[in-house]
Amino acid sequence: MKTKHRNAANAKRSRRWQADPSAMQRVIARTTVFTAAEVQELALPVRLAYESLRTGVGNEDDCDTLAIAVNAALVRSESIDPLCEQTCIDAQDGLMRAKARFAATGRWGFDGLAMQSIPLALDLHEQMLSLSSPAQMIEAQQEVLARMARGQVRDVSK
């Protein structure tokens, strides 16, 4: 009886702590850069959101999609180059002006400065995707969410 009980207890413990056979693949997938197909798959909704807002048929979700992409690129570029950081800040300002315009007129659209700065930030975002690992982009997203939770948002009135 004791041996049978001991064997059953050992079996329970070994099932609980079994090694995950796919753990190594998951770690490698998080640390290698995105493939060209993955970059395209991640960048396409952002480009479509920009096009929707540019033509005036967009909605709040499109603006949020652009903001997420620009903010993630900003967080990644803070440790890279001040020029990249300024590109993202200019795009953020353009998005905020478009949001203010929507609040005032009920129609989405960009001013001339935003039409120049936002595509540059989207190009930078795509470049960041192609040179970053999924783990780095997830970390950037988490930092964006943490900043939002702390209330670090840009002022619309500027």
Side-chain angles (χ1 to χ4, degrees):
M1 183 76 168
K2 283 187 173 183
T3 305
K4 189 175 182 182
H5 176 71
R6 200 173 315 132
N7 288 341
N10 284 335
K12 286 180 191 175
R13 278 193 300 273
S14 66
R15 275 193 305 252
R16 188 175 351 144
W17 300 107
Q18 279 182 340
D20 183 9
S22 63
M24 189 165 155
Q25 284 99 4
R26 281 200 317 268
V27 169
I28 290 172
R30 280 196 317 258
T31 56
T32 58
V33 296
F34 289 107
T35 65
E38 290 171 332
V39 170
Q40 185 177 13
E41 183 181 333
L42 292 170
L44 185 61
V46 177
R47 290 291 180 169
L48 291 174
Y50 170 72
E51 200 58 33
S52 294
L53 290 177
R54 188 186 65 79
T55 57
V57 296
N59 56 27
E60 188 76 27
D61 291 338
D62 293 328
C63 187
D64 291 343
T65 300
L66 281 178
I68 288 169
V70 170
N71 288 334
L74 175 64
V75 169
R76 290 283 297 130
S77 63
E78 285 173 350
S79 62
I80 296 173
D81 186 21
L83 184 60
C84 294
E85 190 176 345
Q86 187 60 45
T87 300
C88 294
I89 290 171
D90 292 343
Q92 279 182 336
D93 290 341
L95 278 172
M96 296 308 287
R97 287 191 306 273
K99 208 170 199 179
R101 176 182 176 165
F102 177 75
T105 65
R107 184 161 167 84
W108 288 102
F110 296 122
D111 56 13
L113 194 55
M115 295 268 293
Q116 291 176 351
S117 62
I118 292 175
L120 292 175
L122 297 183
D123 290 341
L124 179 64
H125 176 255
E126 288 177 19
Q127 191 68 27
M128 293 283 180
L129 283 174
S130 65
L131 297 174
S132 300
S133 69
Q136 289 171 319
M137 293 308 289
I138 289 169
E139 184 179 314
Q141 272 310 108
Q142 289 171 342
E143 178 62 25
V144 167
L145 295 174
R147 289 180 184 183
M148 286 172 55
R150 289 191 302 261
Q152 294 176 333
V153 294
R154 297 193 60 82
D155 188 10
V156 180
S157 62
K158 286 188 177 180

Coordinates of all heavy atoms in Angstrom, one line a residue, residues 46 63-79 84-85 87-93 95-96 99 118 121-122 124-125 128 136-148 152-154:
V46 N -2.2 49.7 -39.7 CA -1.8 51.0 -39.4 C -1.9 51.9 -40.6 O -2.4 53.0 -40.6 CB -0.4 51.0 -38.8 CG1 0.1 52.4 -38.5 CG2 -0.3 50.2 -37.5
C63 N -8.0 56.3 -35.3 CA -7.1 57.2 -34.6 C -6.3 56.5 -33.5 O -5.1 56.7 -33.3 CB -7.9 58.4 -34.1 SG -6.9 59.7 -33.3
D64 N -7.0 55.6 -32.8 CA -6.3 54.9 -31.7 C -5.3 53.9 -32.3 O -4.2 53.8 -31.7 CB -7.4 54.0 -31.0 CG -8.3 54.9 -30.1 OD1 -7.9 56.1 -29.9 OD2 -9.4 54.4 -29.7
T65 N -5.5 53.3 -33.5 CA -4.5 52.5 -34.1 C -3.3 53.2 -34.4 O -2.2 52.8 -34.2 CB -5.1 51.8 -35.4 OG1 -6.3 51.1 -35.0 CG2 -4.1 50.9 -36.1
L66 N -3.5 54.4 -35.0 CA -2.3 55.3 -35.3 C -1.6 55.7 -34.1 O -0.3 55.7 -34.0 CB -2.8 56.5 -36.1 CG -3.0 56.3 -37.6 CD1 -3.5 57.6 -38.2 CD2 -1.8 55.8 -38.3
A67 N -2.3 56.1 -33.0 CA -1.7 56.5 -31.8 C -0.9 55.4 -31.2 O 0.3 55.6 -30.7 CB -2.7 57.0 -30.8
I68 N -1.4 54.2 -31.2 CA -0.6 53.0 -30.6 C 0.7 52.8 -31.4 O 1.7 52.6 -30.8 CB -1.5 51.8 -30.7 CG1 -2.6 51.9 -29.6 CG2 -0.7 50.5 -30.5 CD1 -3.7 50.8 -29.8
A69 N 0.6 52.9 -32.7 CA 1.8 52.7 -33.5 C 2.8 53.8 -33.3 O 4.0 53.5 -33.1 CB 1.4 52.6 -35.0
V70 N 2.4 55.0 -33.3 CA 3.3 56.1 -33.1 C 3.9 56.1 -31.7 O 5.1 56.3 -31.5 CB 2.6 57.5 -33.3 CG1 3.4 58.6 -32.9 CG2 2.2 57.6 -34.8
N71 N 3.1 55.8 -30.7 CA 3.6 55.7 -29.3 C 4.6 54.6 -29.1 O 5.6 54.8 -28.4 CB 2.4 55.6 -28.3 CG 1.6 56.9 -28.2 OD1 2.2 58.0 -28.4 ND2 0.4 56.8 -27.8
A72 N 4.3 53.5 -29.7 CA 5.3 52.3 -29.6 C 6.6 52.7 -30.3 O 7.7 52.4 -29.7 CB 4.7 51.1 -30.2
A73 N 6.5 53.4 -31.4 CA 7.7 53.8 -32.1 C 8.5 54.8 -31.2 O 9.7 54.9 -31.2 CB 7.4 54.4 -33.5
L74 N 7.7 55.7 -30.6 CA 8.3 56.7 -29.7 C 9.1 56.1 -28.6 O 10.3 56.4 -28.3 CB 7.3 57.7 -29.2 CG 7.8 58.7 -28.1 CD1 8.8 59.7 -28.8 CD2 6.6 59.5 -27.6
V75 N 8.5 55.1 -27.9 CA 9.1 54.4 -26.8 C 10.4 53.7 -27.3 O 11.5 53.8 -26.6 CB 8.2 53.5 -26.1 CG1 8.9 52.6 -25.1 CG2 7.1 54.2 -25.4
R76 N 10.3 53.1 -28.4 CA 11.5 52.4 -28.9 C 12.6 53.4 -29.3 O 13.8 53.1 -29.2 CB 11.1 51.5 -30.1 CG 10.3 50.3 -29.8 CD 11.1 49.1 -29.2 NE 12.1 48.7 -30.1 CZ 13.4 48.5 -29.8 NH1 13.9 48.8 -28.6 NH2 14.3 48.1 -30.7
S77 N 12.2 54.5 -29.9 CA 13.2 55.4 -30.4 C 13.8 56.3 -29.3 O 14.9 56.9 -29.5 CB 12.6 56.3 -31.5 OG 11.6 57.1 -30.9
E78 N 13.3 56.3 -28.1 CA 13.8 57.1 -27.0 C 15.2 56.6 -26.7 O 16.1 57.4 -26.2 CB 12.9 57.0 -25.8 CG 11.7 57.9 -25.9 CD 10.8 57.7 -24.8 OE1 10.9 56.8 -23.9 OE2 9.8 58.5 -24.7
S79 N 15.5 55.3 -26.9 CA 16.8 54.7 -26.6 C 17.7 54.7 -27.8 O 18.8 54.2 -27.7 CB 16.7 53.4 -26.0 OG 16.0 52.5 -26.9
C84 N 14.7 60.5 -34.3 CA 13.6 59.6 -34.4 C 12.5 59.9 -33.3 O 11.3 59.9 -33.6 CB 14.0 58.1 -34.1 SG 15.2 57.5 -35.4
E85 N 12.9 60.3 -32.2 CA 12.0 60.7 -31.1 C 11.2 61.9 -31.5 O 10.0 62.0 -31.3 CB 12.8 60.9 -29.8 CG 12.0 61.1 -28.6 CD 12.9 61.3 -27.4 OE1 14.1 61.0 -27.4 OE2 12.3 61.7 -26.4
T87 N 10.5 62.9 -34.6 CA 9.6 62.5 -35.6 C 8.3 62.0 -35.0 O 7.2 62.3 -35.5 CB 10.3 61.4 -36.5 OG1 11.5 61.9 -37.1 CG2 9.4 61.0 -37.6
C88 N 8.4 61.1 -34.0 CA 7.2 60.6 -33.4 C 6.4 61.7 -32.6 O 5.2 61.7 -32.6 CB 7.6 59.5 -32.4 SG 8.3 58.0 -33.2
I89 N 7.1 62.6 -32.0 CA 6.5 63.7 -31.3 C 5.7 64.6 -32.2 O 4.6 65.0 -32.0 CB 7.5 64.5 -30.4 CG1 8.0 63.6 -29.3 CG2 6.9 65.8 -29.9 CD1 9.1 64.2 -28.5
D90 N 6.3 64.8 -33.4 CA 5.6 65.6 -34.4 C 4.3 64.9 -34.9 O 3.3 65.5 -35.1 CB 6.5 65.9 -35.6 CG 7.7 66.9 -35.2 OD1 7.6 67.5 -34.2 OD2 8.7 66.9 -36.0
A91 N 4.4 63.6 -35.1 CA 3.3 62.8 -35.5 C 2.2 62.8 -34.4 O 1.0 62.9 -34.7 CB 3.7 61.4 -35.9
Q92 N 2.6 62.7 -33.2 CA 1.6 62.8 -32.1 C 0.9 64.1 -32.1 O -0.3 64.1 -31.9 CB 2.4 62.6 -30.7 CG 2.7 61.2 -30.3 CD 3.3 61.2 -29.0 OE1 3.9 62.1 -28.5 NE2 3.2 60.0 -28.3
D93 N 1.7 65.2 -32.3 CA 1.0 66.5 -32.3 C 0.0 66.5 -33.5 O -1.1 67.1 -33.3 CB 2.1 67.6 -32.5 CG 2.9 67.8 -31.2 OD1 2.5 67.3 -30.2 OD2 4.0 68.3 -31.4
L95 N -1.7 64.1 -34.8 CA -2.8 63.3 -34.4 C -3.7 64.0 -33.4 O -4.9 63.9 -33.5 CB -2.4 61.9 -33.8 CG -2.0 60.8 -34.8 CD1 -1.4 59.6 -34.0 CD2 -3.2 60.4 -35.5
M96 N -3.1 64.7 -32.5 CA -3.9 65.5 -31.5 C -4.6 66.6 -32.2 O -5.8 66.9 -31.8 CB -3.0 66.0 -30.4 CG -2.3 64.9 -29.6 SD -3.5 63.7 -28.9 CE -4.3 64.6 -27.7
K99 N -7.6 65.1 -33.9 CA -8.6 64.7 -32.9 C -9.4 66.0 -32.5 O -10.6 66.0 -32.3 CB -7.9 64.1 -31.7 CG -8.8 63.1 -30.9 CD -8.0 62.4 -29.9 CE -8.7 61.1 -29.6 NZ -8.1 60.3 -28.6
I118 N 3.1 62.4 -40.1 CA 2.6 61.1 -39.8 C 3.1 60.0 -40.7 O 3.6 59.0 -40.2 CB 1.1 61.2 -39.7 CG1 0.6 62.0 -38.5 CG2 0.5 59.7 -39.6 CD1 -0.9 62.2 -38.4
A121 N 6.5 59.0 -39.4 CA 6.4 58.2 -38.2 C 6.0 56.8 -38.5 O 6.4 55.9 -37.9 CB 5.5 58.9 -37.2
L122 N 5.1 56.6 -39.5 CA 4.7 55.3 -39.8 C 5.8 54.5 -40.5 O 6.0 53.3 -40.3 CB 3.4 55.4 -40.7 CG 2.2 56.0 -40.1 CD1 1.0 55.9 -41.1 CD2 1.8 55.3 -38.8
L124 N 8.9 55.0 -39.8 CA 9.8 54.7 -38.7 C 9.2 53.5 -37.9 O 10.0 52.6 -37.5 CB 9.9 55.9 -37.8 CG 10.8 55.7 -36.5 CD1 12.2 55.5 -36.9 CD2 10.7 57.0 -35.6
H125 N 7.9 53.5 -37.7 CA 7.3 52.3 -37.0 C 7.6 51.0 -37.7 O 7.9 50.0 -37.1 CB 5.8 52.6 -36.8 CG 5.1 51.5 -36.2 ND1 4.3 50.6 -37.0 CD2 5.0 51.0 -35.0 CE1 3.8 49.7 -36.1 NE2 4.2 49.9 -34.9
M128 N 11.1 50.1 -37.2 CA 11.3 49.5 -35.8 C 10.8 48.1 -35.8 O 11.4 47.3 -35.1 CB 10.5 50.4 -34.8 CG 11.0 51.7 -34.6 SD 12.5 51.7 -33.6 CE 12.8 53.5 -33.6
Q136 N 10.8 43.0 -27.6 CA 11.1 44.5 -27.5 C 9.8 45.3 -27.8 O 9.5 46.3 -27.2 CB 12.2 44.9 -28.5 CG 13.5 44.4 -28.1 CD 14.6 44.6 -29.2 OE1 14.3 44.4 -30.4 NE2 15.8 45.0 -28.7
M137 N 9.0 44.8 -28.8 CA 7.8 45.6 -29.2 C 6.7 45.4 -28.1 O 6.0 46.3 -27.8 CB 7.3 45.1 -30.5 CG 8.2 45.5 -31.7 SD 8.6 47.3 -31.7 CE 7.1 48.0 -32.2
I138 N 6.7 44.2 -27.5 CA 5.8 44.0 -26.4 C 6.2 44.9 -25.2 O 5.3 45.5 -24.5 CB 5.7 42.5 -26.0 CG1 5.0 41.7 -27.1 CG2 5.0 42.3 -24.6 CD1 5.1 40.2 -26.9
E139 N 7.4 45.0 -24.9 CA 7.9 45.8 -23.8 C 7.6 47.3 -24.1 O 7.2 48.0 -23.2 CB 9.4 45.6 -23.7 CG 10.1 46.4 -22.6 CD 11.6 46.2 -22.5 OE1 12.0 45.0 -22.6 OE2 12.3 47.2 -22.3
A140 N 7.7 47.7 -25.4 CA 7.3 49.1 -25.7 C 5.8 49.3 -25.5 O 5.4 50.4 -25.0 CB 7.7 49.4 -27.2
Q141 N 5.0 48.3 -25.9 CA 3.6 48.5 -25.7 C 3.2 48.5 -24.2 O 2.4 49.3 -23.8 CB 2.8 47.2 -26.3 CG 2.4 47.3 -27.7 CD 1.7 48.6 -28.1 OE1 2.3 49.4 -28.7 NE2 0.5 48.7 -27.7
Q142 N 3.9 47.8 -23.4 CA 3.6 47.8 -22.0 C 4.0 49.1 -21.4 O 3.3 49.7 -20.5 CB 4.4 46.6 -21.3 CG 3.8 45.3 -21.6 CD 4.6 44.1 -21.1 OE1 5.8 44.3 -20.8 NE2 4.0 43.0 -21.0
E143 N 5.1 49.7 -21.9 CA 5.5 51.0 -21.4 C 4.5 52.1 -21.8 O 4.2 53.0 -21.1 CB 6.9 51.4 -22.0 CG 7.4 52.8 -21.6 CD 7.6 53.0 -20.1 OE1 7.8 52.0 -19.3 OE2 7.5 54.1 -19.6
V144 N 4.0 52.0 -23.0 CA 2.9 52.9 -23.5 C 1.7 52.8 -22.6 O 1.2 53.9 -22.1 CB 2.5 52.6 -25.0 CG1 1.3 53.4 -25.3 CG2 3.7 53.0 -25.9
L145 N 1.3 51.6 -22.3 CA 0.1 51.4 -21.4 C 0.4 51.9 -20.0 O -0.4 52.5 -19.3 CB -0.3 50.0 -21.3 CG -0.8 49.4 -22.6 CD1 -1.1 47.9 -22.5 CD2 -2.1 50.1 -23.1
A146 N 1.6 51.7 -19.5 CA 2.0 52.2 -18.2 C 2.0 53.8 -18.1 O 1.6 54.4 -17.2 CB 3.4 51.7 -17.8
R147 N 2.5 54.4 -19.2 CA 2.5 55.9 -19.3 C 1.0 56.4 -19.3 O 0.7 57.4 -18.7 CB 3.2 56.3 -20.5 CG 4.7 56.2 -20.3 CD 5.5 56.6 -21.5 NE 6.9 56.4 -21.4 CZ 7.8 56.7 -22.3 NH1 7.4 57.4 -23.4 NH2 9.0 56.4 -22.1
M148 N 0.2 55.7 -20.0 CA -1.2 56.1 -20.1 C -1.9 56.0 -18.7 O -2.6 56.8 -18.3 CB -2.0 55.2 -21.1 CG -1.7 55.6 -22.5 SD -2.4 54.5 -23.7 CE -4.1 54.5 -23.3
Q152 N 0.4 60.3 -18.4 CA 1.3 61.0 -19.2 C 0.8 61.1 -20.6 O 1.2 60.3 -21.5 CB 2.7 60.4 -19.1 CG 3.3 60.4 -17.8 CD 4.7 59.7 -17.8 OE1 4.9 58.8 -18.5 NE2 5.5 60.1 -16.8
V153 N 0.0 62.0 -20.9 CA -0.6 62.2 -22.2 C -0.3 63.6 -22.7 O -0.1 64.5 -21.9 CB -2.1 61.9 -22.3 CG1 -2.4 60.5 -22.0 CG2 -2.8 62.8 -21.3
R154 N -0.3 63.8 -24.0 CA 0.0 65.1 -24.6 C -1.2 66.0 -24.6 O -2.3 65.5 -24.7 CB 0.5 64.9 -26.1 CG 1.8 64.0 -26.1 CD 2.5 64.1 -27.4 NE 2.9 65.4 -27.8 CZ 4.0 66.0 -27.5 NH1 4.8 65.5 -26.6 NH2 4.3 67.2 -28.0

